[in-house]
Amino acid sequence: MFFTYLRRELRRRRKAALVVASGLALGIALVITVTSVSAGMKQAQGKVLESLYGLGTDMTVTKAAEAPSKSGSGDRPNFKFDAKGDDSDDDSEQSTDRVMTAGGQTLKSSLVSDVADQRGVGSATGALQLSVMKVSGSFTQGKATTGGSGSGSAEGGQPGGQGGGGGQGGVQGGGANFDVNSYSVYGIDVAHQGLGPLSTMEITKGRTFKAAETNAKIAVLSKSYAKENSKAVGDTLTINKVKYEVVGIAQASSSDSTGDVYLPLKQAQTLADAKNKVSTIYVKATDSKQIDTVKATIKKNISGTTVTTSSDLADSVSGSLSTASDLASSVGKWLSIVVLAAAVLVAALLTSSAVSRRVREFGTLKALGWKSGRVTRQVAGEAIVNGLIGGVLGIALGLVAAYAVTAFSPTLTAQLGSSGGQSGGPGGGGMGGGPGGGGRQAASSTVDVALSAPVSLSTIALAAALAIAGGLIAGAYGGWRASRLRPADALRRVE
């Protein structure tokens, strides 16, 4: 009887049911769209942070750079060349490298074990970040010239007689032509390559380091650096007069490469005269939900260090990606809530209005013996069905909108490391978080990110729950109005 009456009434009031369902569908579709866009923003930010931070890295431990001294001479690059004075016409090329640690102060390698022993830490590894400035070129020797061709002195002892030039000798030509090339070097713990800077790289040619090559004179180059300097697998790379065999070419798995050259950690420590030192400790937590707790534990037990999580590093991402993410998180969510609340309110008002127009019908049913609870259940059932219809329409509209966002959305840009990093690039000593924390000398870099709007099963489940809740609210209010009707009052309206 219940379902028969329900089906008949919904068929008889198709227009009213469609209006209620359409209102709920609009609100639910907006919720799905905003939720999926927000999820897409998080994915995009995650891709950007992977290039800065390292796959599987939850946080990093660094030490802020010291304030520069008043003279500052100790930190200034100093290059010394000899201007050879031989008579050879061949000018020999000279070059020298300046190797400096980057990303703040260095830490003792023993701190890696201390960090790994902290509660909640799954694994930890250290890396040494270097900045190399290579100056190469040659001097060109000038040619000496003499004075004029006069007789030497004129009568009376005055220089330069009638034919004398009287000019002084000098040097013509000569000079120097030097090129400056800056690049970043990362010393990698070859036993833990899955955590840290090299974890963001994918080997495209050659191979990566072997576990036994802890102090081998080998190198892995980024694809961009290898192309720029015409290097291939098997070639030799010279850093500060030390030759390294190139065993692999790697490309960043997401966004731009953040390192140029990767060496075994001990080799990098030798180059920088930083024995048993690291610049960054990369940390993986045992539980991603306990990252803040692990951060507090490390800061408490290991003093003088800066612990940076991926959420902290996200604050350094700016550009249109950050702006769009803020809009989706704040304006979009509040807008969807307001629209959904308005849709539920309209549905409740329309249901209540429909009850008012059915006074004679409900009065007759009560006169025939229907209880107030049965009338309430009948009205609520109709409202829930309207809500389910609205949920189906809303999910369909939301999926279409999410697909449209993915297919036609513009490419967003993310600017990395523009938030006041110190020496060496984005992050500097304070943020120094990932491979991007001081690798390149540029103040920031820009990454283009394609925006997507993935719709998960949880989002669809949320939409269905909202549809049922909207129907229940509308039905409860309409049923309450219907239950208050008395048969005598209803029958008075019979014309």
Side-chain angles (χ1 to χ4, degrees), residues 37-38 67 148 168 208 255 260 270 476:
V37 170
S38 297
Q168 297 181 350
T208 186
S255 74
D260 296 318
T270 302

Side-chain angles (χ1 to χ4, degrees), residues 207-218:
R207 63 175 179 87
T208 186
F209 302 110
K210 298 179 181 179
E213 296 173 329
T214 57
N215 197 23
K217 293 182 179 180
I218 56 178

Side-chain angles (χ1 to χ4, degrees), residues 131-157:
S131 176
V132 180
M133 184 178 295
K134 183 179 184 64
V135 179
S136 59
S138 60
F139 293 98
T140 301
Q141 188 173 0
K143 302 296 183 180
T145 60
T146 59
S149 57
S151 59
S153 62
E155 191 175 333

Side-chain angles (χ1 to χ4, degrees), residues 100-120:
M100 300 168 287
T101 59
Q105 298 186 62
T106 56
L107 303 167
K108 294 181 179 179
S109 298
S110 58
L111 284 180
V112 177
S113 299
D114 295 340
V115 171
D117 292 337
Q118 300 301 309
R119 185 176 181 180

